[in-house]
Amino acid sequence: MAGMAATCSSGLIFRAKESGSGGASLLQYNGLRAVESKQVASAGHRPNGFICTSAPKCRRIKAMASPAVSAPKRETDPKKRIVVTGMGLVSVFGNDVDTFYNKLLEGVSGVTLIDRFDASTFSTQFAGQIRDFSSKGYIDGKNDRRLDDCWRYCLVAGRRALDDASLGPEVLQTMDRSRIGVLVGSGMGGLTAFSNGVEALIQKGYKKITPFFIPYSITNMGSALLAIDTGLMGPNYSISTACATANYCFYAAANHIRRGEADIMVAGGTEAAVNATGVGGFIACRALSQRNAEPHRASRPWDTGRDGFVIGEGSGVLIMESLEHATKRGANVIAEYLGGAITCDAHHMTDPRKDGLGVSSCITKSLEDAGVSPEEVNYVNAHATSTLAGDLAEFNAIKKVFKDTSEIKMNGTKAGNFCPTLVVTGKSCTSILLISMIGHGLGAAGGLEAIASIKAITTGWVHPTINQDNLEPAVTIDTVPNVKKKHEVNVAISNSFGFGGHNSVVVFAPFKP
C-alpha cells in the first residue's frame, strides 16, 4: 500500500492508487471489507504518505503487516472430535431411519389433507401430518394416553437413537450416566396440551384444568422426560429458537462435549403443531401455502409458483459422542460433526434480511468452527421452506460464501411428489431441500434434516427437491430437481433459520479415523 490514514472513526483508509488528477483514490475498510471508495484532492496528500480526512484530528499510525492466514485445520484431539454414533426419528414416513431416507430418495410426498381436526373452514387444509404413530415398546399405556404428541415423538426418537448407538437400558446401567446429557428442544412445546388446558379454563373453569397442563406444555419437558426415562444425569435443558431449534441443540451439545462436561449428548428437536391452534396461528402469519387442490405439490422450494410453507411434525435425534469415548466402547461411528455456528439477523420477527448477512456470516462462522474451507463443501441441505422471500434470501447468502458453486448440490426436504426416474451424474455439489417432502417440522426440522444429510454422506445419494417446475432464474446452483442424484459428499452443511432472525448451521462429514 502507498499510504494509510487514521481517523477518529473505527474504519481504516488505504490509498489504492494515484489518480490522474493528482489526487488519491482511497478505499475505506470496515474490518477486512471495502465499504466506500473516496477521491481525495492532492492538497490533502502529504509527501510522507499519510492522508488526513475531514475527521477533527488525525494522527499518524504505523502500518503493520497482516499475519499470514493459515489454512483451516480440523480438530484432531479425540476428546474434542465429535462423532455421531446413533440416529432416531419420528416422521410422516414412520420411525425407521432407512425407510425415511428411501422415501426421500424416491421423491415421495408425506403431505396430505388434515384429518386430525376439522380443517374444512381453514384456508390451509393440509400438512405433513403423522398417522398411525405407535410408541409400543417405548412408552407405557397410561403415559402414552396423557402425553402431548410432542413428547411422545421425542421419547420414541430419543430411545431409538440410543438403541441405534448400542446404548440400550442394560448398557446404560453399566455406564456413568452423569456424563451423558440430553438436549432436545422444541419451538412450540406441548401445543395440544396447552390448547386443551385453555379450552377447559374458558368452558369449564380453572378447577377442570388437568394437573398435567403446565408440565406437558412447557418446552423443556422433552429433555426432562427422556432423562427421567433413561436415567441420564448429565447436562439437561432445552433450547427454543423456533425452526432453528434442533441445530442450536446440536451446536450446544457439541460444546458440552468439547468442554469436557459430557462424553455423550442426546440432541435434536421435536414438534407436534399440526392442530387447530398451530395451523390457525401460521395462517394468521400468512406463512402457509394454500394449494388445497394439490397438497402434495404445495411445497416447491425455489420454484416461481411457491406460495408458502407446509406445516409438518415429528422428531429427529442424534447421539453425539467424543471420538475418544466412542472408540473406548467400540461404538459404530456413522459420521463426524465438524462444527457449527449461530447468529441473529437483528432485523425483523419473521422476514429475513434481504442482504443475507446474518445467514452468510453464520455459514462462514460454522466453517471456521469446523476447520474447513468453503471449497471443501459440496452439499447443502437448505432450509428453503418455499416462501417468497426466504428461499432467495438463503440462496443469495449461500452464493456470498461459496464463490464457485459448480461442484455443490443443494436440496430441500420439506415438500413432496412421486418421481421414480433415476439420474446419475458425476461429482458435483448438491443442495437439497427436505421440507419439500415431509413438511416444515418447525423445531424438529433441523433434526430430521441432519439425519437426511448424514444419510446422504453414508449412502452416496442425495434426494431430490421436488415440485420444481419453474426454477427461479436467479438460482444457479444444482438443486437436484425432482430426481435423486449420485453424489459423493465431502463436507455437508445443514441450514436452519427461525422466526426472530435465529440462524444456525451445522457441518457434517464422512468419518475418517
Side-chain angles (χ1 to χ4, degrees):
M1 84 187 97
M4 180 165 61
T7 76
C8 294
S9 68
S10 60
L12 294 179
I13 298 178
F14 297 91
R15 182 187 301 120
K17 62 181 180 180
E18 295 300 325
S19 69
S21 60
S25 174
L26 303 179
L27 286 176
Q28 184 169 356
Y29 279 74
N30 180 7
L32 296 177
R33 181 170 59 91
V35 294
E36 186 178 359
S37 178
K38 293 183 179 181
Q39 290 290 329
V40 180
S42 58
H45 179 214
R46 297 183 180 180
N48 58 13
F50 290 89
I51 298 172
C52 279
T53 68
S54 58
K57 292 183 180 180
C58 180
R59 64 181 178 85
R60 295 183 183 185
I61 60 175
K62 184 181 295 185
M64 302 294 292
S66 299
V69 178
S70 59
K73 295 182 180 179
R74 300 189 190 184
E75 182 61 67
T76 58
D77 185 347
K79 292 182 179 180
K80 295 182 179 180
R81 285 182 68 182
I82 313 298
V83 293
V84 177
T85 56
M87 302 188 293
L89 57 73
V90 171
S91 76
V92 291
F93 298 135
N95 306 342
D96 180 72
V97 169
D98 290 338
T99 300
F100 168 78
Y101 197 63
N102 287 336
K103 292 289 187 182
L104 296 181
L105 290 177
E106 294 168 1
V108 175
S109 173
V111 177
T112 56
L113 292 174
I114 296 169
D115 61 10
R116 185 173 295 162
F117 64 94
D118 182 6
S120 60
T121 61
F122 285 53
S123 58
T124 295
Q125 302 169 7
F126 54 90
Q129 176 187 321
I130 292 175
R131 290 178 168 80
D132 303 320
F133 170 74
S134 173
S135 63
K136 186 176 181 180
Y138 298 103
I139 308 174
D140 67 75
K142 180 185 290 186
N143 282 322
D144 194 49
R145 290 189 295 272
R146 288 174 174 171
L147 284 170
D148 189 284
D149 281 347
C150 189
W151 314 134
R152 296 171 74 218
Y153 298 162
C154 172
L155 286 171
V156 172
R159 288 280 301 277
R160 291 184 69 89
L162 287 166
D163 288 344
D164 189 47
S166 299
L167 293 170
E170 293 182 359
V171 174
L172 288 176
Q173 288 179 3
T174 67
M175 301 177 71
D176 181 358
R177 284 175 285 181
S178 69
R179 300 283 302 169
I180 307 175
V182 184
L183 183 42
V184 181
S186 172
M188 309 285 281
L191 197 57
T192 296
F194 181 81
S195 300
N196 291 342
V198 172
E199 184 178 359
L201 172 66
I202 293 174
Q203 294 185 356
K204 302 176 182 180
Y206 78 93
K207 291 184 178 180
K208 294 299 182 180
I209 297 175
T210 171
F212 297 104
F213 169 47
I214 294 297
Y216 287 169
S217 296
I218 52 182
T219 59
N220 67 301
M221 201 49 61
S223 293
L225 290 172
L226 187 53
I228 291 169
D229 191 45
T230 56
L232 305 181
M233 299 176 65
N236 187 294
Y237 56 101
S238 70
I239 294 174
S240 184
T241 47
C243 308
T245 292
N247 274 7
Y248 270 68
C249 291
F250 295 142
Y251 177 70
N255 287 336
H256 282 298
I257 297 172
R258 286 174 171 169
R259 290 194 299 263
E261 298 164 356
D263 298 319
I264 300 173
M265 290 294 295
V266 183
T270 187
E271 207 76 87
V274 181
N275 54 35
T277 302
V279 175
F282 280 110
I283 289 175
C285 290
R286 300 181 181 179
L288 300 184
S289 168
Q290 298 184 14
R291 198 181 290 263
N292 293 311
E294 297 180 297
H296 60 290
R297 293 181 56 78
S299 187
R300 42 186 56 243
W302 302 300
D303 187 87
T304 56
R306 66 192 184 281
D307 69 331
F309 76 79
V310 177
I311 191 171
E313 59 182 352
S315 181
V317 175
L318 301 181
I319 305 301
M320 304 175 72
E321 189 168 357
S322 73
L323 176 58
E324 180 183 66
H325 191 271
T327 301
K328 284 182 179 179
R329 72 180 187 89
N332 174 51
V333 175
I334 302 170
E336 184 166 2
Y337 168 93
L338 297 182
I342 55 177
T343 65
C344 183
D345 276 355
H347 169 66
H348 189 271
M349 284 196 301
T350 58
D351 290 343
R353 292 179 65 109
K354 291 182 180 180
D355 61 8
L357 180 60
V359 173
S360 62
S361 65
C362 193
I363 296 173
T364 299
K365 289 175 184 291
S366 74
L367 300 183
E368 292 172 354
D369 186 54
V372 302
S373 65
E375 292 75 21
E376 295 179 79
V377 177
N378 69 338
Y379 173 68
V380 179
N381 189 296
H383 181 68
T385 57
S386 190
T387 60
L388 290 173
D391 287 12
L392 288 181
E394 179 179 11
F395 170 77
N396 290 333
I398 291 170
K399 287 286 287 185
K400 279 186 178 181
V401 178
F402 304 104
K403 305 306 181 184
D404 180 6
T405 58
S406 61
E407 295 298 317
I408 293 181
K409 299 203 179 301
M410 174 178 74
N411 65 357
T413 313
K414 301 175 174 81
N417 197 2
F418 185 70
C419 308
T421 309
L422 174 65
V423 173
V424 179
T425 65
K427 184 180 178 182
S428 60
C429 179
T430 302
S431 170
I432 308 289
L433 181 58
L434 187 60
I435 293 175
S436 64
M437 285 177 275
I438 61 174
H440 188 356
L442 309 177
L448 294 167
E449 290 162 13
I451 291 173
S453 299
I454 293 170
K455 289 297 290 183
I457 291 171
T458 60
T459 65
W461 287 93
V462 291
H463 72 74
T465 303
I466 62 174
N467 297 331
Q468 282 200 352
D469 300 329
N470 298 290
L471 185 66
E472 282 279 4
V475 178
T476 54
I477 299 177
D478 182 356
T479 59
V480 195
N482 301 318
V483 291
K484 66 182 180 180
K485 289 185 179 180
K486 188 74 173 174
H487 186 61
E488 183 179 349
V489 178
N490 181 40
V491 175
I493 68 171
S494 180
N495 298 340
S496 287
F497 317 125
F499 279 3
H502 301 295
N503 305 310
S504 60
V505 180
V506 289
V507 186
F508 298 101
F511 171 66
K512 298 178 182 179

